[in-house]
Amino acid sequence: MAPLFRLQGIGFAVGGRPILQGLDLTLGVGCVTGLIGPNGSGKSTLVRLLARQAAPHQGAISFGGRPIARYGDRDFARRLAYLPQTTPATDGMTARELVALGRYPHHGALGRLGDRDEAAIAEAMARTDTMTFAERSVDDLSGGERQRVWLAMMIAQGAACLVLDEPTSALDVAHQAEMLDLLRRLCDDHGHSVVVVLHDINMAARICDRLIALKGGAIVADGAPEAIMRPDRLEAIYSVRMGVFSPPGTATPIGYIA
């Protein structure tokens, strides 16, 4: 099976300032991959490249075994759904109307929603528990509810790969856990591949199969959470002294500033 992504010698710069430098990376299918690291390390730039929101200035990216640039826009959107850190304005749309936008790659701008579209919308809202506020304006929803609606739109899109940039940044702890548990279930129960940028290292370690740490535009750590959640590795990533412990009854490690 072809890898989900293969990146070779990726470079990207803004105004002559390098953001990513000589990045080589292979991402597998059917797992949750977390991108971690300090602010300005290149995480958001990397996911924008994966989602074809920008093109690398150097190197090559393949997706599903094909050069990423060779996909048509609608074909690519049927395979990969992207949630940016700042979501677009919803202009008074209801939750269901927003979720329905996920069907655009399948029927086009002027196409009518068919039975298959309606079924996909209903299933996406059921998986994210958003049907109860389907007719409410997205603008009136809480932060956690809005993020679940955006995730429902991604699921309705029918893409097997979900790429998300800090989907929990504006949420409280309970809603962060809820959002990330949804992503974990999408992978475990429905075979989605998930690439997600996260700031909370402990949340990342709890739900991800693999953690990739960036710093200064380069990969400085890559492995399973238990391999990354060590004091020396965390200090190298975040440039601050950190400790790690595992609470009684769980093998999930927790990092803290020492």
Side-chain angles (χ1 to χ4, degrees):
M1 178 185 292
L4 183 67
F5 288 101
R6 177 169 285 133
L7 289 74
Q8 298 172 294
I10 293 300
F12 189 86
V14 175
R17 182 174 68 89
I19 306 298
L20 298 174
Q21 306 178 66
L23 211 64
D24 293 314
L25 181 64
T26 299
L27 301 181
V29 174
C31 60
V32 180
T33 302
L35 301 179
I36 62 172
N39 289 340
S41 59
K43 303 184 300 297
S44 293
T45 298
L46 177 55
V47 294
R48 288 182 67 236
L49 297 181
L50 298 181
R52 288 207 327 185
Q53 301 298 301
H57 297 150
Q58 292 178 309
I61 301 176
S62 64
F63 173 61
R66 291 170 54 189
I68 198 169
R70 290 189 183 174
Y71 289 91
D73 289 342
R74 288 179 64 186
D75 185 23
F76 188 73
R78 288 191 287 264
R79 298 167 186 266
L80 183 146
Y82 170 61
L83 185 65
Q85 186 174 347
T86 302
T87 53
T90 51
D91 297 326
M93 282 189 289
T94 66
R96 190 189 180 284
E97 288 170 339
L98 179 57
V99 176
L101 289 181
R103 299 304 297 168
Y104 171 79
H106 300 272
H107 62 73
L110 301 178
R112 297 174 62 88
L113 294 174
D115 292 343
R116 183 176 296 181
D117 299 309
E118 296 289 357
I121 293 166
E123 181 179 359
M125 298 191 79
R127 285 194 205 171
T128 53
D129 195 22
T130 52
M131 193 64 79
T132 54
F133 43 82
E135 302 308 319
R136 287 175 57 191
S137 169
V138 176
D139 296 334
D140 294 336
L141 300 178
S142 70
E145 290 169 339
R146 279 196 299 274
Q147 287 298 76
R148 280 159 51 201
V149 172
W150 280 105
L151 181 57
M153 187 196 75
M154 298 175 76
I155 296 170
Q157 195 170 319
C161 176
L162 308 179
V163 176
L164 306 94
D165 189 359
E166 297 189 40
T168 61
S169 61
L171 304 181
D172 60 32
V173 172
H175 286 111
Q176 287 181 39
E178 178 183 72
M179 181 71 170
L180 295 178
D181 286 343
L182 276 171
L183 294 177
R184 183 70 259 176
R185 290 200 299 273
L186 287 172
C187 177
D188 293 341
D189 300 340
H190 303 283
H192 285 76
S193 302
V194 178
V195 181
V196 57
V197 175
L198 293 170
H199 266 304
D200 190 320
I201 183 63
N202 294 318
M203 288 286 190
R206 188 172 70 86
I207 68 109
C208 293
D209 300 296
R210 177 184 177 188
L211 297 178
I212 299 171
L214 279 77
K215 186 176 183 180
I219 295 172
V220 294
D222 182 357
E226 57 268 24
I228 304 299
M229 295 294 286
R230 296 176 2 205
D232 57 333
R233 303 295 292 274
L234 294 178
E235 183 173 351
I237 296 167
Y238 294 104
S239 300
V240 63
R241 186 177 178 184
M242 296 188 70
V244 176
F245 77 101
S246 294
T250 177
T252 303
I254 294 177
Y256 62 94
I257 297 177

